[in-house]
Amino acid sequence: GAVVSQHPSRVICKSGTSVKIECRSLDFQATTMFWYRQFPKQSLMLMATSNEGSKATYEQGVEKDKFLINHASLTLSTLTVTSAHPEDSSFYICSARGDPRTQPDNEQFFGPGTRLTVL
Amino acid sequence: AQTVTQSQPEMSVQEAETVTLSCTYDTSENNYYLFWYKQPPSRQMILVIRQEAYKQQNATENRFSVNFQKAAKSFSLKISDSQLGDTAMYFCAFMKRAGNTPLVFGKGTRLSVIA
């Protein structure tokens, strides 16, 4: 299957600082990327859907000014947690999907996740 | 809106035995996909098996098979000859076929395979 990477895998930051997480599709062009948040022992919660070259669509209850998503190219999406606070500590996972016109099976490929700890 | 329900928070099975994980879903869509994902302690999401709703034949991948009952909106996963490496969280997921729609996940079932 296709490969999606995330960087960094772990990050610790001080409260009030901003953190950027990168999600890259390594061997395919991702027209759509999704960002999820996962608390311990819980399921994945969709935060936003990101289409290349357009603004992200945020799920209800997700602050778009706090979680900035940029999808400037077909292989890279970034999630920036602005003015991070301890309650933002979580595991963040991205997934990527290719063009459904050329990849009709619509499979999503997941990154390995980023563990964010805000002190 | 679609919902996915996994009613078994935790399950255990003896090594080499068979276990079935339950999943039900609710949707008004007719064209969709269903998935089972595995999340081991590494937390990497791994696709186990997928089913296209328009296909009546149940999907099978080696030791993993599903029982897809479209009318009942049920999608259970059977793991045969369970192995220690099958220990993980298992998530059932739904996705509409059309457009760039996201996966909708159930709450997951934690499976422990016991030696």
Side-chain angles (χ1 to χ4, degrees), chain B residues 24-39:
Chain B
T24 58
Y25 60 95
D26 188 26
T27 184
S28 58
E29 300 287 328
N30 196 43
N31 291 318
Y32 52 88
Y33 298 95
L34 294 164
F35 305 85
W36 279 98
Y37 282 90
K38 169 184 177 181
Q39 189 180 41

Side-chain angles (χ1 to χ4, degrees), chain A residues 34-35 45-49 56-64, chain B residues 102:
Chain A
F34 303 93
W35 287 94
M45 181 189 76
L46 179 68
M47 298 176 67
T49 300
T57 302
Y58 290 81
E59 294 299 299
Q60 191 173 9
V62 178
E63 299 176 58
K64 62 179 67 177

Side-chain angles (χ1 to χ4, degrees), chain B residues 19-107:
Chain B
V19 65
T20 299
L21 308 184
S22 301
C23 173
T24 58
Y25 60 95
D26 188 26
T27 184
S28 58
E29 300 287 328
N30 196 43
N31 291 318
Y32 52 88
Y33 298 95
L34 294 164
F35 305 85
W36 279 98
Y37 282 90
K38 169 184 177 181
Q39 189 180 41
S42 68
R43 303 191 80 169
Q44 171 71 58
M45 295 290 284
I46 301 167
L47 177 64
V48 175
I49 199 164
R50 62 184 283 147
Q51 175 81 41
E52 296 175 51
Y54 69 88
K55 290 187 177 179
Q56 291 187 338
Q57 186 173 6
N58 289 324
T60 299
E61 287 288 341
N62 300 313
R63 298 183 294 108
F64 300 88
S65 61
V66 298
N67 183 0
F68 173 47
Q69 301 292 327
K70 190 172 183 180
K73 295 180 181 174
S74 170
F75 184 61
S76 62
L77 173 70
K78 185 172 81 171
I79 305 175
S80 304
D81 185 26
S82 297
Q83 300 176 0
L84 296 177
D86 295 333
T87 294
M89 280 289 289
Y90 286 83
F91 294 101
C92 179
F94 171 100
M95 186 179 75
K96 288 195 292 187
R97 186 182 176 89
N100 280 325
T101 55
L103 290 161
V104 177
F105 287 95
K107 290 188 175 182

